Amino acid sequence: MPLDIIIGAQWGDEGKGRITDLLAERAQVVARYSGGDNAGHTVTVGRRIFKLHLLPSGIVHPGAVGVLGNGMVINPARLLDEMDRLSQLGVEVSPRRIKISAGAHLITPAHVALDRADEVSRSKTGDKIGTTGRGIGPAYTDKSARRGLRAELLLDPERLGDRVVEHVRQTNVTLEKIYGQPPLDPVAVAAEYAAHARQLASYITDTSLYLHQRLSEGALVLAEGAQGTLLDLDHGTYPYVTSSSPTSGGVFSGLGLGPKFANRIIGVTKAFQTRVGEGPFPTEAFGAEAERLRGTGENPWDEFGTTTGRPRRCGWLDLVLLRYAIRVNGLTELALTKLDVLSGLNTVRLCTAYTAEEKTYTELPLGPADLAPFRAVCEELPGWSEEVSGARQLADLPPAARNYIRRIEALSGLPVTLISVGPERNQIIRPD
Ligand code: IMP
């Protein structure tokens, strides 16, 4: 009854969707446990490109059931849109295949308006977070304040209507009085949610019970992380974080499972480092070097946000932060993605430590919340000119690329058990 967990070991966008897609081949259930449509997972199958924001990316496998756990915040309009697009691409979309937790929270247009208004206001004082503008923070705020809208309301149209009207009225006060923004029409939003309820009610269930039953029958369940360790509300680079718990602790509360089920805890990391939004980034590269890592935007896998289209900030793999991610998640292994992007560089770099005020640090003294004082200490390793996208075994890689991977293993203390060398399903190396 194993639960395998896939965690973003960096600032999100590590290629978790691609690794989930690979492991979902053998899984019976794939479950999202945190976040909402701030996530963006791209899965390439032949000529079909699936862009998923709310549904677990494993859903593209016909044998897998997709679960949206109680730790998530769900915008019903965006979910229905995603379900429609998947169905047009030939994926079966039905309550048999998709299960939504009654305890997940709903995002409304009022949350979205509040998120955007707050960012505009923060940008005036210079403390903008750079959110995805999807209403994530306000929805989790309402959840914590015990006035959120749980998905179970979709089963009770009358209560849903009343609660939505009350929620929009309350939010309007903040929108108008604090942010000077126009109010929303509570009755129109309630009507919209009544229509969503008609379409989604049959998908709502007790997903914790469902997952327990499946695990007890011996099914392989994959917990699919969204965002990444450094965006975790508790363990990330606060305040430049999201409002949920993408780390492994979030799996258990976000799915209603106990830790006894956990088996592999796989940390997904790019072979380099990226970040979107604001906040310090010690190994950030600039100019031509950053452009080289980012790509032009022509390819779907270039470093531009799947959700917002924003160019991602790019830099070198940071082992201080990776070791931190290994510790707070209890990772058992690493999956390294986008190794192919490094081909053609004369030298590649790995950050092994930081310096601040003439002291060297291999561990952050107070965690990653304030990275601003630290400068990266990097090792330079020889690069490789060969294309590696055709490699299927370690032995197919040039010696310098193998050396780079060995160095990551030595500095992190974990084995690299998957290496992705391109976006296609078969562009993967499984050492051993
Ligand atoms: P929010 O989750 O929209 O509130 O955004 C908070 C921070 O998390 C911002 O810096 C976003 O750019 C970042 N963020 C949220 N989701 C993702 C993701 O899936 N990948 C990368 N960054 C993300």
Side-chain angles (χ1 to χ4, degrees), residues 242-288:
T242 189
S243 302
S244 65
S245 304
T247 47
S248 59
V251 172
F252 307 109
S253 60
L255 292 179
L257 292 175
K260 71 170 181 181
F261 292 111
N263 180 36
R264 300 167 73 186
I265 310 178
I266 305 158
V268 185
T269 172
K270 275 180 196 162
F272 49 101
Q273 195 101 14
T274 61
R275 175 166 204 183
V276 276
E278 309 298 314
F281 180 174
T283 61
E284 184 162 14
F286 299 94

Side-chain angles (χ1 to χ4, degrees), residues 188-228:
V189 179
E192 213 184 292
Y193 276 64
H196 297 330
R198 284 192 287 279
Q199 288 183 273
L200 288 174
S202 54
Y203 292 85
I204 310 294
T205 186
D206 181 345
T207 49
S208 156
L209 178 62
Y210 172 76
L211 289 168
H212 270 267
Q213 285 169 342
R214 297 304 310 267
L215 283 162
S216 309
E217 288 160 18
L220 171 63
V221 176
L222 271 188
E224 172 178 340
Q227 289 80 47

Side-chain angles (χ1 to χ4, degrees), residues 11-13 38-40 115 129-134 136-137 226-227 231 240-243 276-278 307 310:
W11 273 295
D13 311 315
N38 46 349
D115 190 359
I129 305 290
T131 73
T132 59
R134 297 288 192 263
I136 306 295
Q227 289 80 47
L231 290 173
Y240 303 105
V241 292
T242 189
S243 302
V276 276
E278 309 298 314
T307 302
R310 290 183 286 181

Side-chain angles (χ1 to χ4, degrees), residues 308-331:
T308 58
R310 290 183 286 181
R312 295 180 188 141
R313 298 156 69 193
C314 295
W316 301 102
L317 185 61
D318 185 330
L319 268 299
V320 179
L321 292 178
L322 187 58
R323 285 193 292 263
Y324 173 78
I326 291 169
R327 169 157 57 88
V328 297
N329 290 296
L331 299 180

